[in-house]
Amino acid sequence: MTTAVIQRKWHTTAEVAEMLGYGLSKTKMLVLTGEIRSIKDGRSRRILPRYVDEYIERLAQQAEGNAA
């Protein structure tokens, strides 16, 4: 019998803050300003893993652009 591993489809703002090493208030501000995209789920905001990846990639591109 195989065991299915369920992978998370989205993250809470607090989880993303922990992943990025940011404070919760900074992460909430990034979501509020649209720097990190999110989905509204009832009264909560959820962040898809690819939205976190997009944010990190954008930061990396900006850093590379500034270094050139």
Side-chain angles (χ1 to χ4, degrees):
M1 177 183 232
T2 10
T3 304
V5 177
I6 299 173
Q7 294 184 357
R8 298 190 64 123
K9 301 297 183 192
W10 57 29
H11 303 289
T12 64
T13 308
E15 291 168 339
V16 171
E18 185 176 330
M19 288 184 336
L20 295 175
Y22 292 168
L24 184 57
S25 59
K26 176 176 181 169
T27 306
K28 285 183 177 183
M29 185 58 67
L30 290 170
V31 168
L32 182 66
T33 61
E35 287 287 316
I36 298 177
R37 295 193 303 155
S38 65
I39 296 170
K40 186 125 168 103
D41 179 33
R43 295 178 61 187
S44 302
R45 286 275 170 194
R46 302 290 183 225
I47 302 166
L48 299 176
R50 73 172 182 257
Y51 295 170
V52 178
D53 294 340
E54 288 172 2
Y55 172 72
I56 293 169
E57 185 61 34
R58 197 167 49 252
L59 286 180
Q61 287 175 354
Q62 290 172 357
E64 290 170 1
N66 290 340

